[in-house]
């Protein structure tokens, strides 16, 4: 069956490339994926999927659809994110973005097309599938604060789901390779803000004031000891300060200083332990310098942790379908993904579909205005999604 799926995926290549180009030309920002959702709905309805739900998070964005609802047996979910980014495309291509300031610069256009390709195959072999499939076309992966995944989970899209898989096109992995990894594959991302309150005064009379800037500066340098002295060196953490705000003139000691930064971790335990460490160091410094400090955390995305069994299953699907040569170990990425939310609820696996090809100019960084995709890899992605679904359901059904 995997060979058949692969052949069917190869046949989908040119149609899904066209569809990918359509989505690329018509990008929509997070929670505004209205036309995208409509286009997906049109195709998915024709394929005979049932229980089609659209419009999540109080918007008209996002779609889920089920196959083989009447069947007993496990349910596997396949997820594609569908949103674009706020930047202006610089690629000179026939299917360039038609919307200034909006661009599919992360490959979600390809994810959408590949999941439609996989859906086409799965609907064609549905009688042979020993279980059920749910498609999740997810809006707003790039939003950060109102995650599409978290919102959809809150609205029940994982109800009845036994496992979930998703993939990301990846330009630093060469075309023809697929990267797998069990355990953490992408970092958590959270942002924080520290306010240091002192007492303002004349720049010439520091003794009559309480200077918050010197305390804030000490917090900046000492905070790095959270990473260098309190975290296992083999455990990867990044703590960056991106913004400092304080004062209005050279001869005034300001009332307060504000620091903003972000933190990335690669294990859920470390992520949970970080705020206490930062707060303790910050408070200690502020108290010693007669200031008052507060720390506020805003959680963005959790660590994406791949289930070991499912990752092995995805890897062996790739080996059987596409050959040992296409498989490599994925790097641990310090970027983050809201696929992580699914993995917190059900076993999940997320893998990287390489699309980097220097000659074709498809090795530019994600989120850059020159990001583009090697469309020749789409059939592998389509085969992987459909193949994984089939393999999971068959193994479970044994
Ligand atoms: Ni992305």
């Amino acid at each position: 069956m995997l060979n058949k799926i692969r052949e069917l995926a190869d046949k989908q290549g040119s149609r899904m490339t066209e569809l990918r180009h359509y989505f690329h030309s018509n990008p929509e920002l997070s929670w505004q994926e209205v036309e995208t959702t409509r286009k997906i709905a049109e195709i998915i309805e024709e394929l005979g999927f049932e229980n089609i739900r659209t419009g999540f998070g109080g918007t008209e964005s996002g779609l889920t659809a089920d196959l083989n609802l009447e069947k007993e047996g496990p349910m596997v979910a396949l997820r594609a994110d569908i949103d674009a980014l706020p930047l202006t495309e610089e690629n000179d291509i026939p299917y360039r973005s038609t919307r200034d300031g909006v661009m599919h610069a992360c490959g979600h256009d390809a994810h959408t097309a590949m999941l439609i390709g996989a859906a086409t195959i799965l609907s064609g072999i549905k009688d042979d599938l020993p279980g059920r499939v749910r498609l999740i076309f997810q809006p707003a992966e790039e939003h950060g604060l109102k995650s599409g995944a978290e919102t959809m989970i809150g609205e029940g899209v994982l109800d009845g789901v036994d496992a979930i898989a998703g993939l990301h096109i990846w330009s630093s992995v060469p075309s023809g390779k697929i990267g797998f990894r069990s355990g953490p594959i992408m970092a958590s991302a959270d942002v924080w803000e520290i306010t240091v309150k002192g007492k303002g005064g004349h720049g010439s009379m520091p003794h009559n004031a309480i200077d918050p800037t010197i305390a804030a500066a000490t917090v900046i340098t000492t905070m790095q000891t959270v990473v260098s002295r309190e975290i296992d060196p083999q455990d990867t953490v990044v703590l960056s300060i991106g913004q400092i705000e304080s004062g209005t003139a050279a001869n005034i000691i300001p009332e307060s200083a504000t620091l903003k930064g972000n933190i990335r971790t690669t294990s859920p335990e470390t992520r949970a332990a970080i705020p206490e460490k930062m707060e303790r160091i910050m408070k200690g410094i502020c108290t010693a310098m007669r200031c008052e400090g507060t720390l506020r955390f805003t959680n963005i995305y959790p660590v994406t942790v791949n289930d070991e069994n499912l990752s092995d299953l995805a890897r062996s699907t790739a080996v059987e379908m596409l050959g040992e040569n296409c498989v490599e170990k994925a790097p641990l990425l310090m970027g983050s993904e809201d696929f992580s939310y699914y993995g917190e609820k059900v076993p999940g696996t997320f893998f990287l579909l390489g699309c980097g090809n220097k000659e074709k100019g498809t090795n530019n960084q994600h989120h850059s205005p020159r990001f583009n995709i090697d469309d020749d890899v789409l059939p592998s992605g389509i085969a992987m999604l459909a193949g994984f679904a089939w393999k999971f359901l068959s193994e479970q059904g044994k």
Side-chain angles (χ1 to χ4, degrees):
M1 181 58 88
L2 285 177
N3 274 335
K4 180 176 171 190
I5 289 174
R6 194 211 157 150
E7 280 166 24
L8 291 168
D10 285 339
K11 286 193 192 134
Q12 294 283 326
S14 62
R15 207 182 128 230
M16 289 310 133
T17 297
E18 254 172 58
L19 199 55
R20 203 278 283 183
H21 293 179
Y22 167 83
F23 290 123
H24 191 86
S25 301
N26 299 284
E28 294 175 295
L29 293 174
S30 296
W31 293 120
Q32 297 169 30
E33 307 92 330
V34 180
E35 286 172 38
T36 306
T37 299
R38 220 174 278 151
K39 180 84 178 170
I40 297 165
E42 242 171 59
I43 303 170
I44 295 300
E45 273 165 22
E46 274 189 15
L47 291 175
F49 278 76
E50 309 152 88
N51 194 21
I52 296 179
R53 287 177 70 191
T54 62
F56 291 85
T59 72
E60 291 173 52
S61 300
L63 180 146
T64 63
D66 296 341
L67 190 66
N68 280 347
L69 265 187
E70 72 294 346
K71 277 198 183 177
E72 302 271 307
M75 181 185 268
V76 62
L78 301 172
R79 173 271 207 175
D81 43 7
I82 64 173
D83 55 331
L85 284 156
L87 78 162
T88 297
E89 176 153 24
E90 285 177 15
N91 289 316
D92 185 15
I93 46 176
Y95 52 93
R96 187 177 183 276
S97 167
T98 55
R99 290 172 187 148
D100 257 7
V102 189
M103 176 188 174
H104 268 295
C106 197
H108 301 187
D109 48 352
H111 303 167
T112 310
M114 287 187 288
L115 186 53
I116 291 173
T120 309
I121 294 175
L122 292 168
S123 86
I125 59 166
K126 69 180 197 171
D127 294 338
D128 297 322
L129 288 175
R132 296 165 294 159
V133 180
R134 175 166 298 158
L135 309 174
I136 301 177
F137 290 93
Q138 181 215 300
E141 192 283 323
E142 303 284 1
H143 194 277
L145 295 175
K146 186 184 172 187
S147 145
E150 195 182 23
T151 303
M152 288 183 105
I153 293 166
E155 295 179 29
V157 306
L158 287 182
D159 294 356
V161 169
D162 297 292
I164 185 165
L167 60 77
H168 209 301
I169 276 276
W170 211 254
S171 68
S172 59
V173 172
S175 285
K177 301 279 183 190
I178 307 176
F180 298 92
R181 191 179 183 95
S182 73
I185 182 164
M186 291 186 82
S188 63
D190 298 307
V191 295
W192 52 266
E193 180 175 336
I194 286 173
T195 306
V196 181
K197 274 195 75 179
K199 187 175 144 218
H202 199 287
S204 67
M205 292 181 280
H207 56 293
N208 289 334
I210 300 173
D211 189 348
T213 58
I214 196 96
T218 310
V219 168
I220 290 172
T221 51
T222 312
M223 193 76 90
Q224 290 301 333
T225 64
V226 168
V227 181
S228 68
R229 304 291 85 181
E230 298 199 27
I231 303 290
D232 183 333
Q234 311 226 25
D235 185 0
T236 311
V237 175
V238 178
L239 197 170
S240 295
I241 292 149
Q243 218 176 337
I244 305 172
E245 280 168 22
S246 181
T248 52
N251 61 351
I252 300 172
I253 292 171
E255 282 280 318
S256 69
T258 305
L259 309 174
K260 290 179 188 172
N262 66 85
I263 187 138
R264 291 168 189 272
T265 69
T266 51
S267 88
E269 297 73 26
T270 304
R271 184 189 190 215
I274 289 280
E276 180 278 326
K277 296 177 189 299
M278 287 178 61
E279 184 153 44
R280 169 167 40 75
I281 288 174
M282 182 276 295
K283 288 253 188 218
I285 290 166
C286 287
T287 305
M289 299 179 125
R290 298 178 295 156
C291 290
E292 213 182 287
T294 49
L295 169 65
R296 204 163 52 95
F297 252 84
T298 306
N299 291 337
I300 309 292
Y301 293 158
V303 182
T304 305
V305 183
N306 277 339
D307 179 82
E308 202 182 317
N309 292 332
L310 285 187
S311 300
D312 288 348
L313 195 76
R315 193 183 178 284
S316 64
T317 306
V319 171
E320 271 183 63
M321 244 184 345
L322 306 161
E324 186 84 47
N325 261 347
C326 85
V327 170
E328 63 176 41
K329 186 168 185 191
L332 174 55
L333 302 166
M334 294 311 287
S336 65
E337 237 300 333
D338 76 350
F339 188 83
S340 49
Y341 285 112
Y342 301 110
E344 286 186 337
K345 301 280 180 199
V346 297
T349 188
F350 192 71
F351 48 89
L352 305 179
L353 176 66
C355 75
N357 182 318
K358 207 171 170 205
E359 281 84 64
K360 294 180 184 170
T362 60
N363 60 341
N364 292 320
Q365 271 198 37
H366 290 251
H367 294 206
S368 89
R370 296 205 151 271
F371 177 78
N372 199 8
I373 289 165
D374 176 1
D375 287 309
D376 291 341
V377 309
L378 298 183
S380 301
I382 294 167
M384 274 305 300
L385 290 169
F388 176 85
W390 182 80
K391 191 142 169 120
F392 174 80
L393 296 176
S394 342
E395 301 267 310
Q396 290 290 302
K398 266 180 198 164

